[in-house]
């Protein structure tokens, strides 16, 4: 997931569209308030952060991100006004991983994002995610349950990966829809229920680890007999 903090709606929409087309999940925010609210529920892989924002500006947001051990290592690319050398220097001094001068091209943005992700998440070092009888290897894009390999669809895989990355966290159906299918998906929460059902079936006895939280959604936990 990539977070884009940009107050200009047309630019933000174009960024999200481009990132989706490039294969990334992305979510946009017009100011710091909804951004910080989202940060409590989902940790992004990278943050695109505009400096000129209403209220709390990008420099202040970056300073908070870098001061917290929970968010200090999240890659951040700053968007600065053309010719604003001071903002670039301050941002880089505070720990920004890269910057783009406005106006920037969307393909350049994608290229910079890929470069930063390669630097901060070196290829071949992704950890295998394991919880109970379920293991997921991001490098091999493979899943095993109770020692046997399981073949999943892309959406089933993405659902399982998201829950393995956040064990015991309760996900609402709306959160799962937005995170896995994208904010532009037009459909019902029943879609999540159907995919959870097929995922449980394919995982066999390990499927019991996906637990229903009545009236809320789902969570992934180790089963205690």
């Amino acid at each position: 997931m990539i977070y884009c903090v940009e107050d200009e709606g047309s630019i933000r929409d174009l960024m999200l569209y481009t990132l989706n087309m490039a294969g990334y999940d992305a979510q946009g925010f017009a100011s710091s308030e909804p951004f910080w609210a989202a940060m409590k529920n989902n940790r992004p892989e990278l943050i695109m952060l505009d400096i000129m924002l209403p209220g709390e500006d990008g420099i202040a947001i970056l300073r908070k991100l870098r001061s917290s051990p929970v968010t200090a290592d999240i890659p951040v690319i700053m968007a600065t006004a053309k010719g604003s050398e001071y903002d670039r220097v301050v941002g880089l001094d505070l720990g920004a991983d890269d910057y783009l001068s406005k106006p920037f091209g969307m393909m350049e943005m994608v290229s910079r994002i890929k470069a930063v992700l390669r630097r901060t998440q070196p290829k071949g070092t992704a950890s295998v995610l394991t919880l109970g009888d379920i293991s997921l290897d991001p490098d091999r894009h493979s899943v095993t349950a109770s020692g046997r390999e399981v073949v999943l669809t892309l959406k089933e895989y993405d659902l399982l990966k998201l829950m393995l990355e956040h064990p015991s966290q309760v996900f609402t159906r709306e959160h799962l829809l937005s995170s896995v299918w994208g904010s532009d998906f037009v459909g019902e929460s029943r879609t999540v229920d159907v995919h959870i059902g097929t995922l449980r079936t394919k995982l066999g006895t390990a499927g019991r680890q996906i637990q229903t939280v009545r009236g809320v959604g789902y969570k992934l936990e180790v089963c205690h007999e």
Side-chain angles (χ1 to χ4, degrees):
M1 174 66 73
I2 294 176
Y3 283 172
C4 299
V5 190
E6 166 60 61
D7 62 320
E8 293 188 42
S10 59
I11 296 176
R12 187 173 63 250
D13 290 345
L14 183 56
M15 291 170 70
L16 297 178
Y17 176 80
T18 302
L19 289 169
N20 289 158
M21 291 299 99
Y24 295 103
D25 290 325
Q27 190 170 348
F29 309 94
S31 63
S32 64
E33 289 84 358
F35 166 74
W36 289 121
M39 288 291 292
K40 294 178 181 179
N41 298 317
N42 194 14
R43 173 190 166 96
E45 294 177 81
L46 181 143
I47 299 169
M48 288 290 305
L49 181 59
D50 187 24
I51 286 183
M52 299 298 292
L53 294 170
E56 187 177 30
D57 66 17
I59 293 295
I61 292 173
L62 179 63
R63 186 176 283 111
K64 284 185 181 179
L65 288 169
R66 291 297 180 248
S67 66
S68 169
V70 177
T71 59
D73 62 342
I74 299 177
V76 176
I77 298 178
M78 304 292 291
T80 68
K82 186 175 182 180
S84 181
E85 182 179 1
Y86 174 78
D87 286 339
R88 290 201 299 271
V89 170
V90 172
L92 292 172
D93 283 347
L94 286 173
D97 296 271
D98 201 352
Y99 69 88
L100 283 167
S101 295
K102 286 185 170 182
F104 52 82
M106 292 297 106
M107 291 304 99
E108 181 186 8
M109 177 190 71
V110 172
S111 178
R112 294 289 188 91
I113 287 173
K114 288 180 178 178
V116 169
L117 289 177
R118 280 197 301 269
R119 289 203 309 267
T120 57
Q121 301 172 0
K123 185 178 180 181
T125 61
S127 299
V128 174
L129 302 170
T130 300
L131 186 69
D133 295 327
I134 302 171
S135 291
L136 184 150
D137 187 337
D139 286 339
R140 296 181 56 240
H141 206 274
S142 64
V143 173
T144 57
S146 303
R148 64 181 181 84
E149 189 155 359
V150 180
V151 178
L152 302 179
T153 66
L154 178 60
K155 295 304 183 187
E156 290 165 353
Y157 176 91
D158 289 344
L159 275 171
L160 182 61
K161 184 172 184 289
L162 178 62
M163 290 191 286
L164 279 169
E165 289 172 336
H166 304 278
S168 300
Q169 177 175 323
V170 178
F171 290 94
T172 65
R173 290 170 176 82
E174 291 74 21
H175 188 168
L176 292 173
L177 268 178
S178 176
S179 298
V180 176
W181 279 265
S183 57
D184 294 333
F185 176 76
V186 179
E188 301 179 355
S189 59
R190 176 66 179 163
T191 301
V192 173
D193 298 330
V194 171
H195 281 75
I196 289 290
T198 58
L199 181 55
R200 280 172 169 160
T201 299
K202 290 182 178 180
L203 293 173
T205 56
R208 292 178 297 176
Q209 290 182 221
I210 303 176
Q211 300 178 15
T212 300
V213 180
R214 191 176 300 277
V216 182
Y218 299 97
K219 65 178 178 177
L220 185 68
E221 284 192 334
V222 176
C223 291
H224 299 287
E225 301 295 342

